[in-house]
């Protein structure tokens, strides 16, 4: 069956049980990179507003990078684990219902296909054939929109988020450390806004939304965060001095 599907699909069109999982992995990676860019950039720009001391900037940036990456990984792991536990519970429930009440489940599947626009006769025939082939898979797909071969992976989500956060965080950290002191904040601002434009474009593409709106939202939000922390750092630095 798989070979027949492959023969009739269009070039470049993806099919397979791991497509949705791969898209979730990519989205988590883009979001992690965004968080790394904005949070660490805000942190180091705020410190730069208070002091030009390179060791202080390095310490603040590395601390923000490590803390943020660990936090992102833990958050993704807990969230995705809860989702997977819920999916597994629903699968077990559906298995029990198919054993205990097969006729009611067949009728339910028939009605679900009727709701999708099929006639009663066609819906019943489809439900019967799918039940004979793989009753559980049929119910999970139509009733719950779950693929038991494509459950979310918490370790993958945690790893991708941590790596993406780290890669995103490295950009403002490098941008704040390499230039001369008088250029550190402007260079970091520019690097961060360009990076946010890129990640905004990628996230909009993955989500199928308007790229311009996504980019503007990210750039405006990032700029506000940078200006706010820089002003706060400048104020606190002046007060301390």
């Amino acid at each position: 069956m798989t070979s027949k599907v492959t023969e009739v699909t269009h070039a470049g069109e993806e099919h397979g049980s791991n497509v949705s999982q791969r898209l979730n992995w990519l989205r988590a990676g883009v979001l992690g990179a965004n968080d790394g860019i904005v949070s660490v950039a805000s942190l180091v720009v705020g410190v730069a507003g208070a002091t030009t001391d390179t060791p202080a900037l390095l310490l603040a940036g590395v601390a923000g990078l490590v803390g943020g990456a660990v936090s992102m990984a833990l958050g993704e792991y807990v969230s995705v684990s809860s989702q997977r536990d819920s999916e597994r519970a629903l699968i077990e429930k559906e298995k029990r219902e198919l054993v205990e009440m097969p006729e009611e489940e067949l009728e339910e599947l028939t009605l679900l296909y009727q709701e999708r626009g099929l006639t009663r006769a066609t819906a019943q025939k489809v439900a019967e054939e799918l039940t004979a082939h793989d009753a559980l898979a049929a119910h999970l797909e139509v009733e719950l929109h779950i693929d038991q071969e494509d459950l979310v992976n918490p370790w993958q989500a945690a790893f991708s988020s941590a790596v993406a956060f780290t890669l995103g965080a490295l950009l403002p950290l490098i941008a704040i450390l390499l230039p001369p002191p008088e250029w550190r904040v402007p260079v970091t601002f520019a690097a961060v806004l360009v990076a946010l434009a890129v990640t905004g474009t990628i996230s909009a593409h993955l989500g199928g939304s308007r790229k311009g709106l996504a980019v503007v939202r990210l750039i405006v939000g990032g700029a506000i965060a940078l200006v706010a922390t820089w002003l706060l750092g400048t104020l606190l630095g002046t007060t301390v001095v």
Side-chain angles (χ1 to χ4, degrees):
M1 179 63 181
T2 304
S3 61
K4 291 181 179 179
V5 171
T6 304
E7 290 173 4
V8 298
T9 53
H10 302 293
E13 185 178 22
E14 290 193 274
H15 291 267
S17 61
N18 65 339
V19 172
S20 63
Q21 192 171 127
R22 221 177 323 136
L23 288 176
N24 287 332
W25 179 83
L26 287 170
R27 290 190 186 98
V30 172
L31 292 174
N34 277 336
D35 286 344
I37 293 168
V38 175
S39 60
V40 174
S42 299
L43 179 60
V44 294
V45 164
V47 174
T51 178
T52 58
D53 185 49
T54 300
L57 290 171
L58 177 62
L59 178 61
V62 172
L65 186 154
V66 174
V70 172
S71 176
M72 284 289 294
L74 288 175
E76 281 293 318
Y77 180 81
V78 171
S79 174
V80 175
S81 292
S82 298
Q83 180 183 343
R84 188 176 64 172
D85 291 343
S86 298
E87 290 175 340
R88 285 176 170 173
L90 289 171
I91 290 172
E92 291 304 315
K93 178 176 179 290
E94 199 63 39
K95 285 180 179 179
R96 289 195 304 272
E97 291 176 347
L98 286 168
V99 172
E100 296 170 0
M101 50 183 74
E103 293 183 2
E104 289 85 347
E105 287 295 293
L106 178 61
E107 176 63 18
E108 181 182 39
L109 191 59
T110 300
L111 293 174
L112 287 170
Y113 276 110
Q114 280 188 264
E115 290 176 0
R116 292 189 171 193
L118 299 181
T119 63
R120 170 70 189 187
T122 303
Q124 186 167 4
K125 183 173 179 57
V126 170
E128 289 173 350
E129 291 187 3
L130 288 177
T131 298
H133 175 68
D134 190 336
L136 178 60
H139 279 270
L140 292 178
E141 179 185 357
V142 180
E143 184 180 346
L144 302 172
H145 309 293
I146 294 176
D147 181 352
Q148 61 181 332
E149 302 299 328
D150 189 28
L151 297 183
V152 290
N153 187 326
W155 288 108
Q156 185 183 57
F159 178 76
S160 64
S161 293
V163 170
F165 185 96
T166 300
L167 293 176
L170 284 174
L171 178 99
L173 184 56
I174 293 171
I176 203 75
L177 292 175
L178 290 185
E182 64 273 15
W183 283 100
R184 283 174 175 170
V185 172
V187 168
T188 303
F189 263 77
V192 166
L193 296 183
V194 170
L196 290 177
V198 173
T199 57
T201 301
I202 295 173
S203 63
H205 177 73
L206 292 174
S209 59
R210 292 168 54 192
K211 293 182 177 64
L213 185 59
V215 169
V216 169
R217 277 198 301 254
L218 279 177
I219 289 179
V220 171
I224 292 173
L226 292 175
V227 170
T229 54
W230 180 77
L231 288 175
L232 181 60
T234 302
L235 177 62
L236 292 176
T238 304
T239 303
V240 171
V241 173

